[in-house]
Amino acid sequence: MVHIPRVTENGRLGPVDSSRVPRYGGAPTFALLPRLDEAEAAGRPPGIVVAGVPFDSGVSYRPGARFGPGHVRQSSRLLRPYNPASGTAPFAQAQVADAGDLVVNPFDLGAAIEAVQAGALALTAGGASLLALGGDHTVALPLLRAAVERAGRPVALLHLDAHLDTWDTYFGAAYTHGTPFRRAAEEGLLDAAALCHVGTRGPLYGARDLEDDRGFGFGIITAADVYRHGADAVAARLAARIGDRPLYVSVDIDVLDPAHAPGTGTPEAGGLTSRELLEILRGLRGLDLVGADVVEVAPAYDHAELTGIAAAHVAYELITLMAQRRADRDGAGAGDGATGPHEPGDAR
């Protein structure tokens, strides 16, 4: 399969050159980026790795998120190397590569969780940051375990989702897509002073759900709060809460309204717009983002790639944050693609 990665001005391997290979052709990597083996063979070990986690055996309603990673990759073909919202070229600031999909047992939840954790640790062994494409939200728990092991301390968590995902069990099962953050809190993975849900909405089983959630230390910014106060105010509030702690960001695509993301397993009316979600993420610049996931994309319920495109752009903004953090830490400048964000009225 033809794969001609563009070399950035500082020698990193970037996306395929779309002037030589049409965007709808070539290898189906995220944003047409080089494969992990290509980057390593070129002597460019990645600072950021994208990996799929094709698993949905933890869902409680509509299945299909096991096909999410491939769908998000397909929907990412139109992403381009320069991000005008941040004024940076993330694929020039850091070497980014697609590691393909982890091999995850679809029949054994325990084995699947162990495989995801082991895979995440292997991919970050050289110091790379990991962006995972799910898969259902069960996978957030092993990804958090790996991120905490690498960080060496509990992490702040920003959880963007229509649901709390701090329930105890479903049908007696402790590990499902509705329980990862309860288990993470119980395991001591989370910094209880810096936990927040964003975008929650819809009915609950009872008031006890909120009481339990508060007991773990979570603050809640509902979808209605985002609507009333705006994305900039929400991002500022989150940044103040998180501070300089290592941060893990977990994005369930159902945080978006079904009008923007119909292709998901547990849709709820009244969600965020794509614009609001992207602006909240952009407002996190400068935070110590150590890992992230984008989950619950179920392509069987998607149409016109609405959900896949939204998820691909969310992943792109998370990569941008990771690349910016690495560039800031390493003291990189304009040579790594930083030119300043686009301003209103700027004709650049």
Side-chain angles (χ1 to χ4, degrees):
M1 187 174 290
V2 177
H3 198 80
I4 308 173
R6 177 188 286 116
V7 179
T8 69
E9 61 190 36
N10 54 12
R12 294 191 172 100
L13 297 185
V16 167
D17 186 345
S18 59
S19 70
R20 301 176 66 188
V21 179
R23 291 186 179 277
Y24 47 81
T29 57
F30 181 81
L32 304 180
L33 285 161
R35 300 187 311 268
L36 177 59
D37 62 330
E38 289 179 311
E40 291 177 336
R44 287 291 183 178
I48 301 170
V49 176
V50 179
V53 189
F55 174 85
D56 65 0
S57 299
V59 300
S60 59
Y61 192 48
R62 302 193 307 198
R66 66 182 61 185
F67 301 109
H71 188 64
V72 175
R73 288 187 178 103
Q74 174 62 30
S75 301
S76 74
R77 287 178 175 271
L78 200 56
L79 293 173
R80 301 177 182 89
Y82 179 72
N83 187 340
S86 64
T88 62
F91 307 141
Q93 287 185 306
Q95 180 62 64
V96 189
D98 191 328
D101 290 346
L102 302 181
V103 178
V104 186
N105 189 325
F107 303 111
D108 186 326
L109 277 166
I113 288 171
E114 290 178 4
V116 174
Q117 183 176 350
L121 286 170
L123 290 172
T124 56
S129 301
L130 175 62
L131 172 66
L133 305 175
D136 77 53
H137 225 154
T138 310
V139 306
L141 178 62
L143 292 170
L144 270 166
R145 289 174 178 171
V148 169
E149 183 169 337
R150 293 294 179 220
R153 57 182 285 198
V155 298
L157 173 67
L158 172 55
H159 171 221
L160 298 115
D161 196 327
H163 310 98
L164 300 172
D165 288 0
T166 51
W167 286 286
D168 191 9
T169 63
Y170 283 118
F171 293 88
Y175 298 98
T176 77
H177 74 159
T179 67
F181 303 119
R182 190 185 191 103
R183 301 287 91 85
E186 292 169 346
E187 293 179 19
L189 303 177
L190 307 180
D191 185 333
L195 309 178
C196 196
H197 305 294
V198 175
T200 55
R201 60 193 187 275
L204 300 171
Y205 295 108
R208 178 65 181 272
D209 294 344
L210 295 172
E211 294 167 6
D212 287 351
D213 197 73
R214 281 192 294 270
F216 295 122
F218 279 95
I220 295 177
I221 298 175
T222 67
D225 292 331
V226 175
Y227 168 73
R228 292 190 177 101
H229 300 292
D232 290 346
V234 168
R237 179 176 168 186
L238 293 170
R241 184 177 178 90
I242 294 162
D244 61 358
R245 298 173 176 88
L247 169 66
Y248 189 92
V249 175
S250 186
V251 182
D252 185 328
I253 205 63
D254 72 22
V255 71
L256 297 177
D257 191 90
H260 299 267
T264 192
T266 50
E268 303 278 0
L272 274 60
T273 67
S274 299
R275 184 185 302 112
E276 287 172 330
L277 176 55
L278 295 175
E279 287 301 321
I280 289 171
L281 294 175
R282 290 163 183 160
L284 304 179
R285 180 170 184 169
L287 300 186
D288 187 14
L289 182 57
V290 297
D293 61 63
V294 183
V295 299
E296 298 285 357
V297 174
Y301 313 105
D302 204 9
H303 58 272
E305 292 186 340
L306 288 178
T307 314
I309 290 168
H313 279 263
V314 167
Y316 181 69
E317 293 299 333
L318 291 167
I319 289 171
T320 298
L321 291 172
M322 291 177 176
Q324 288 170 340
R325 183 61 174 172
R326 286 179 169 271
D328 292 344
R329 183 191 64 195
D330 299 338
D336 283 318
T339 61
H342 172 80
E343 297 295 338
D346 185 353
R348 179 174 53 211

